[in-house]
Amino acid sequence: TAGGAIAGRMRVTSSTISGNVASSSGGGISALDGVTVTTSMISDNVAGGWGGGILVHKDLVLVESSITGNSAGRNGGGIRAFDSVTVTASRISENVSGAWGGGMYVTGAGVVMATDSVISGNMAHGNGGGIYAREVDLVTSAISDNVAAFGGGGGVYVTRRGFVVDSMVSGNTAR
């Protein structure tokens, strides 16, 4: 089953979603539509498949929130998204994926736009320790201490294009 805590279209504000388990995908949240998370914490959730913290099929917006300590058996330890992900003043850290995208795994036409955010300490057992995505724009953000254990892009693995402005990318490892 999907959505250990919540399944459906939603807006999460000033909340904690923690310690949930989904046998397939979306340990904390599983959504077929868009999700907006504001001033909230999504932590310590587990998915047997994709998206330990959040699985979303449309746009995901994170504002002043943290996605921390989640794990997925497949892609997207913290986040698995099929469309654009906008991260503002948020932290994505200490998430683990059994395959690609420790912090987040974004496919399809999606673009990751991170502003004033930190993506650190995530681990993928494939490509993209911090982020695996088609396109990534980083503005005044930090990508640090992420690990791609058996692949490339310890911090970020981009399949099309990346754009980095006034940001720090340091201490990442690809093995």
Side-chain angles (χ1 to χ4, degrees):
T1 53
I6 303 170
R9 181 180 185 179
M10 72 205 64
R11 179 176 295 261
V12 178
T13 303
S14 301
S15 299
T16 298
I17 297 172
S18 183
N20 301 288
V21 177
S23 59
S24 64
S25 301
I29 296 171
S30 179
L32 293 176
D33 210 339
V35 174
T36 299
V37 178
T38 306
T39 60
S40 295
M41 176 182 287
I42 312 295
S43 66
D44 303 312
N45 299 290
V46 177
W50 299 272
I54 300 172
L55 169 73
V56 60
H57 288 269
K58 300 275 181 156
D59 294 337
L60 171 64
V61 176
L62 295 175
V63 180
E64 296 177 356
S65 295
S66 65
I67 310 294
T68 306
N70 301 287
S71 64
R74 306 262 332 231
N75 300 325
I79 298 165
R80 168 63 169 111
F82 292 88
D83 213 329
S84 295
V85 176
T86 302
V87 181
T88 305
S90 295
R91 174 177 289 274
I92 298 169
S93 63
E94 308 301 325
N95 299 289
V96 178
S97 72
W100 295 357
M104 70 176 89
Y105 181 79
V106 181
T107 58
V111 174
V112 173
M113 172 59 139
T115 305
D116 299 327
S117 295
V118 174
I119 297 161
S120 68
N122 300 289
M123 184 166 95
H125 286 89
N127 296 322
I131 301 171
Y132 179 102
R134 181 173 176 257
E135 297 183 19
V136 176
D137 293 343
L138 301 174
V139 179
T140 58
S141 293
I143 309 293
S144 64
D145 303 314
N146 299 288
V147 176
F150 299 103
V156 180
Y157 189 97
V158 177
T159 62
R160 184 166 177 225
R161 69 149 186 90
F163 183 68
V164 179
V165 175
D166 294 328
S167 296
M168 179 188 72
V169 180
S170 69
N172 300 289
T173 303
R175 300 182 194 148

